[in-house]
């Protein structure tokens, strides 16, 4: 409790207590949060205050002091049972209503599929045939339903500004939804520890006007004519592969093209177009010595011409 209060107060002091409220559900969640927070503060101050006051007032003044015989106080006991019960029911009713709101997406919501994978998020727009995009763009003021799944381990999709968060689990779909109320860009993070790259497993929701959204769907969705460099960044490759020479989870891409790599097991391989292509589609077929076979497959999440663009980009990294 004390830790909680100090943490919240510290955050409130430095950066504002909360991220912006950018969805229809956000004010409701905040309302409930502040209600519980203030309630806790009142009880904390009241109880600790009473402890200190009583400890001072009824301290043993001499060894002759005797505690008076008290058998019980029915009125007091009733009160300290009834008041918390009522408060608890209020909290339950209030949060249950919000939880129902959050759990049932409107029937006309825009359908977006979210795939979590160590360590990036990708999105599919089934209605428009656009798949494997690395950003989520939604129109302002319209409900959006996220149907989420994971290709490997447990992740969690959290949009602080929308006050929504739900686990993303392999072999199962989980659903959450939101209606964004403000145009802007809002961070997304993974909030279940999922391995080395957990902290960089970020994304963002871009909220735009309806015409901009339609324009994006028609023209940019699916990568459009992005350069290899943009694709390399947007597909999340940079999380594990530096382009500067430093060793991360995977080998650096600097000077990679044309190099001879030694694989786990001692075999050697020349890094050419085919090797790069294979490493994107079937990453663990030929793993470089000194690294773990942890790269996820990008099969189905990347188009052939995007692979070509990435290969061309890697050639420039000398
Ligand atoms: Cu994905 Cu943490």
């Amino acid at each position: 409790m004390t830790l909680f209060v100090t943490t919240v107060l510290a955050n409130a002091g430095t950066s504002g207590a909360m991220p912006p409220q950018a969805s229809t559900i956000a004010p409701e969640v905040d309302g409930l949060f502040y209600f519980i927070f203030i309630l806790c503060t009142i009880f904390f101050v009241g109880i600790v205050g009473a402890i200190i006051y009583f400890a001072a007032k009824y301290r043993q003044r001499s060894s002759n002091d005797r505690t008076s015989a008290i058998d019980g106080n029915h009125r007091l006991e009733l009160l300290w049972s009834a008041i918390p019960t009522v408060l608890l029911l209020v909290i339950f009713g209030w949060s249950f209503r919000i939880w129902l709101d959050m759990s049932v997406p409107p029937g006309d919501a825009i359908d977006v599929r979210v795939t979590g994978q160590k360590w990036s998020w990708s999105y599919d727009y089934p209605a428009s045939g656009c798949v494997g995009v690395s950003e989520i763009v939604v129109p302002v003021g319209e409900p959006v339903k996220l149907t989420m799944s994971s290709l490997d381990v447990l992740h969690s999709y959290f949009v602080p500004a929308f006050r929504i968060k739900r686990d993303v689990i392999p072999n199962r779909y989980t659903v959450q939804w939101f209606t964004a109320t403000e145009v802007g860009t809002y961070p997304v993070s993974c909030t279940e520890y999922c391995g080395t790259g957990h902290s960089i497993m970020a994304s963002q929701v871009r909220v735009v006007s309806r015409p901009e959204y339609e324009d994006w769907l028609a023209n940019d969705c699916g990568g459009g004519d992005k350069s290899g460099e943009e694709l390399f960044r947007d597909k999340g490759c940079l999380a594990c592969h530096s382009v500067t020479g430093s060793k991360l989870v995977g080998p650096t891409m600097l000077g990679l093209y044309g190099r001879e790599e030694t694989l786990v097991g001692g075999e050697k391989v020349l890094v050419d177009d085919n090797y790069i292509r294979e490493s994107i589609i079937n990453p663990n077929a030929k793993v470089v010595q000194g690294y773990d076979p942890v790269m996820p497959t990008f099969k189905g999440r990347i188009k052939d011409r995007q692979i070509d663009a990435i290969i061309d980009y890697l050639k420039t990294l000398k």
Side-chain angles (χ1 to χ4, degrees):
M1 178 67 207
T2 17
L3 181 70
F4 173 69
V5 173
T6 26
T7 313
V8 169
L9 290 182
N11 283 331
T14 53
S15 61
M18 293 283 196
Q21 298 176 337
S23 76
T24 47
I25 205 86
E28 294 190 49
V29 174
D30 286 3
L32 177 62
F33 171 81
Y34 282 120
F35 174 75
I36 295 176
F37 176 65
I38 290 166
L39 202 66
C40 290
T41 311
I42 292 170
F43 273 90
F44 175 74
V45 171
I47 290 168
V48 173
I51 290 172
I52 294 169
Y53 174 74
F54 287 148
K57 181 159 194 222
Y58 299 109
R59 70 182 184 280
Q60 191 179 40
R61 288 188 168 79
S62 78
S63 50
N64 290 330
D65 277 2
R66 288 286 176 270
T67 309
S68 41
I70 300 169
D71 289 335
N73 185 326
H74 287 272
R75 203 193 296 173
L76 198 62
E77 283 166 20
L78 259 171
L79 224 74
W80 77 43
S81 304
I83 293 176
T85 305
V86 169
L87 289 173
L88 216 64
L89 285 174
V90 168
I91 293 172
F92 171 75
W94 192 342
S95 48
F96 187 60
R97 211 203 64 222
I98 297 179
W99 182 80
L100 282 182
D101 274 0
M102 292 173 114
S103 302
V104 186
D108 60 345
I110 295 168
D111 210 17
V112 181
R113 305 249 160 188
V114 178
T115 305
Q117 188 175 23
K118 292 191 283 184
W119 288 281
S120 63
W121 300 103
S122 70
Y123 307 94
D124 299 336
Y125 286 73
S128 67
C130 150
V131 296
V133 276
S134 54
E135 65 172 345
I136 174 168
V137 177
V138 299
V140 67
E142 292 180 49
V144 176
K145 175 184 165 192
L146 307 177
T147 305
M148 313 183 294
S149 193
S150 164
L151 294 181
D152 38 46
V153 298
L154 181 71
H155 303 278
S156 180
Y157 196 86
F158 179 35
V159 191
F162 296 170
R163 310 290 190 273
I164 59 163
K165 171 161 85 168
R166 188 149 287 182
D167 281 5
V168 180
I169 302 163
N171 303 319
R172 192 195 299 183
Y173 295 112
T174 49
V175 168
Q176 61 182 348
W177 75 278
F178 60 86
T179 299
T181 51
E182 306 266 351
V183 167
T185 300
Y186 305 99
V188 174
S189 45
C190 178
T191 49
E192 286 289 352
Y193 182 69
C194 54
T196 324
H198 162 71
S199 60
I200 44 116
M201 189 169 171
S203 180
Q204 54 183 25
V205 183
R206 194 147 64 84
V207 181
V208 298
S209 66
R210 180 81 211 183
E212 256 184 276
Y213 168 71
E214 278 168 14
D215 183 59
W216 176 82
L217 261 192
N219 299 312
D220 301 323
C221 190
D225 293 318
K226 279 190 177 158
S227 70
E229 183 173 5
E230 287 168 322
L231 287 165
F232 195 77
R233 184 193 58 221
D234 291 353
K235 295 282 177 192
C237 313
L238 276 172
C240 302
H241 298 288
S242 82
V243 292
T244 54
S246 50
K247 180 178 165 172
L248 303 176
V249 176
T252 180
M253 298 289 114
L254 186 71
L256 179 72
Y257 194 85
R259 191 161 71 197
E260 201 178 54
E261 288 278 34
T262 308
L263 303 178
V264 171
E267 198 189 333
K268 291 197 190 310
V269 66
L270 178 73
V271 179
D272 58 4
D273 294 34
N274 276 316
Y275 176 68
I276 295 173
R277 191 192 152 76
E278 181 183 39
S279 298
I280 292 170
I281 302 297
N282 186 11
N284 299 326
K286 298 193 178 100
V287 178
V288 175
Q289 208 166 58
Y291 296 91
D292 294 323
V294 292
M295 178 166 160
T297 174
F298 282 78
K299 197 175 175 181
R301 296 169 60 199
I302 190 163
K303 294 174 181 152
D304 278 353
R305 61 185 164 83
Q306 295 179 318
I307 296 181
D308 296 342
I310 286 177
I311 293 173
D312 283 339
Y313 167 60
L314 296 183
K315 284 178 186 169
T316 67
L317 300 171
K318 290 184 184 124

